[in-house]
Amino acid sequence: MGLENVIAEALPEVLTTRLDSLINWARKSSLWPATFGLACCAIEMMNATTSRNDLARFGAEVFRASPRQADVMIVSGRVSRKMAPVLRRIYDQMPEPKWVISMGACATSGGVFDNYAIVQGVDKIVPVDVYIPGCPPRPEMLIHAVMMLQDKVMKESVRDRRDIPEEEARQAVVPGTLPVTDGSTARQNTLPESRPYTIASRHERRRSS
Amino acid sequence: MSEQASSPDTTPSPLVTALQREHPEWISEVIYAFGETTIIVPREHIVAACSFLKTWPEGQFNFLSDICGADRGVEEEPRFEVNYHLFSTTKYHRIRLKVVLNEEDIHVPSVTGVWRTANWHERETFDLFGVIFDDHPDLRRILLPDDWQGHALRKDFPLRGYEPYSLK
């Protein structure tokens, strides 16, 4: 033992650390959110980036409209059945590593909308890392959730966050696509075959197993 | 509610009187309530009545505000109705046409040939009530997902929906 001391004496400008903690530190310090403002919670989400609350202090102020550039999806608001495949598609378009914050009672559990039109919790569609209660939650609660997510990021390993192999991804049902109909569905009185939203991503499978 | 509003106003409007004189077969019943006029039209005459009212000099109902369905209840007969809300941008008056339907024969001729905006309104009515609009150019769901089962605003549709969508 004492390897660190030997290195520190021989190479005083070199710092040794675990690769995981270095990469996780870099990741958690700049979480770029993908906006998924679906309802009134989005107003509070916007407010979290303003000068009063200043989400930039935690490196998560760069809200991206493109999922390709985003790390964390903040689902703020109720998710309707029709929005569900769209949301899943946005999630699938985000590159790894990616995380999801379920903001508010509606995104977490359907909230007061316990009916046919609203998904009863966004975790039915995508894996959720942090849930925020409240209707709507205050911006402080969203900041707290980002900080909790940062703690969670620090506990992960780089090996858990690989993208789906390309071969496997090609075999999957194109996520989020709605069946294309030409109006014949009503005439023939048949239903288009129901399809799963998508295949599970790798870290999703790891969590469920 | 004031006394005047609750008592039925049976004064026939000059519009309805004129329409009754020209096409009595189109009017099976006229309802006056809350200052609004509703004409119940037999189903086979709805397209003719709409295209006539659109260009009729006394009516000039050139604007279709809305088409909506209604479910009166599972045991009611007739059960469904389709309401056409007409508005005139030149004469600034409104009228409502109503078609009543049985559950077994839930077909209405489409009025997309009269007002093109009827396209999406009829799709919505089909989506939520299951009313089939004959000769509609593109009758498919508009609000609910394409693989949805049932029609959500019918009285006998469960609030939480059917499997596999109801995840409880």
Side-chain angles (χ1 to χ4, degrees), chain A residues 170-188:
Chain A
R170 281 188 196 288
Q171 287 168 4
V173 178
V174 178
T177 47
L178 292 169
V180 178
T181 59
D182 53 356
S184 59
T185 334
R187 260 173 270 127
Q188 294 160 3

Side-chain angles (χ1 to χ4, degrees), chain B residues 24-131:
Chain B
E25 74 277 10
W26 289 354
I27 300 172
S28 53
E29 195 186 342
V30 184
I31 303 162
Y32 299 101
F34 310 109
E36 298 170 4
T37 308
T38 307
I39 301 175
I40 296 183
V41 182
R43 178 174 61 181
E44 57 271 20
H45 295 306
I46 186 67
V47 178
C50 284
S51 55
F52 175 77
L53 285 171
K54 187 184 178 185
T55 52
W56 188 30
E58 292 172 52
Q60 295 180 23
F61 292 103
N62 52 359
F63 183 67
L64 176 68
S65 298
D66 192 20
I67 295 178
C68 60
D71 185 354
R72 293 172 165 181
V74 179
E75 61 283 334
E76 293 290 322
E77 192 66 37
R79 182 177 167 187
F80 293 99
E81 54 188 52
V82 180
N83 295 297
Y84 301 77
H85 297 102
L86 272 52
F87 179 65
S88 170
T89 54
T90 51
K91 294 198 170 259
Y92 208 74
H93 55 190
R94 293 175 190 274
I95 200 163
R96 182 188 295 119
L97 305 182
K98 185 178 284 192
V99 176
V100 289
L101 298 168
N102 288 316
E103 194 177 356
E104 294 76 35
D105 187 21
I106 190 163
H107 287 262
V108 190
S110 171
V111 295
T112 43
V114 185
W115 297 282
R116 289 191 65 198
T117 187
N119 189 326
W120 281 19
H121 289 306
E122 289 178 350
R123 278 178 67 186
E124 183 195 1
T125 309
F126 161 71
D127 192 359
L128 298 174
F129 290 98
V131 178

Side-chain angles (χ1 to χ4, degrees), chain A residues 11-77:
Chain A
L11 300 164
E13 67 274 23
V14 171
L15 180 71
T16 57
T17 181
R18 284 170 59 240
L19 182 65
D20 273 348
S21 57
L22 179 69
I23 289 178
N24 285 339
W25 170 78
R27 280 177 176 173
K28 78 153 194 178
S29 306
S30 116
L31 288 169
W32 287 19
T35 63
F36 220 97
L38 293 168
C40 30
C41 280
I43 305 296
E44 300 296 310
M45 180 176 72
M46 289 178 241
N47 198 11
T49 60
T50 56
S51 54
R52 180 177 286 267
N53 296 292
D54 198 8
L55 194 58
R57 290 174 292 162
F58 308 97
E61 83 283 13
V62 192
F63 277 84
R64 286 285 144 171
S66 166
R68 303 284 184 201
Q69 301 169 346
D71 301 310
V72 49
M73 175 193 267
I74 301 176
V75 184
S76 47

Side-chain angles (χ1 to χ4, degrees), chain A residues 30 38 52 88 114 140 156:
Chain A
S30 116
L38 293 168
R52 180 177 286 267
R88 178 67 213 204
D114 187 6
E140 293 93 318
E156 287 185 355

Side-chain angles (χ1 to χ4, degrees), chain A residues 81-82 109 114-117 119-120 124 178-187 191-195 197, chain B residues 126 128 132 138-149 152-153 157-161 165-168:
Chain A
R81 294 277 181 231
K82 199 157 188 182
S109 68
D114 187 6
N115 60 31
Y116 63 90
V119 175
Q120 300 297 306
K124 302 274 197 298
L178 292 169
V180 178
T181 59
D182 53 356
S184 59
T185 334
R187 260 173 270 127
L191 290 165
E193 59 168 319
S194 60
R195 295 186 291 181
Y197 286 134
Chain B
F126 161 71
L128 298 174
I132 309 287
D138 183 27
L139 193 67
R140 58 194 164 94
R141 292 186 180 275
I142 187 169
L143 293 173
L144 298 170
D146 281 9
D147 56 346
W148 193 268
Q149 296 191 28
L153 284 189
F157 188 85
L159 179 63
R160 287 174 177 170
Y165 281 102
S166 65
L167 297 160
K168 294 246 162 170

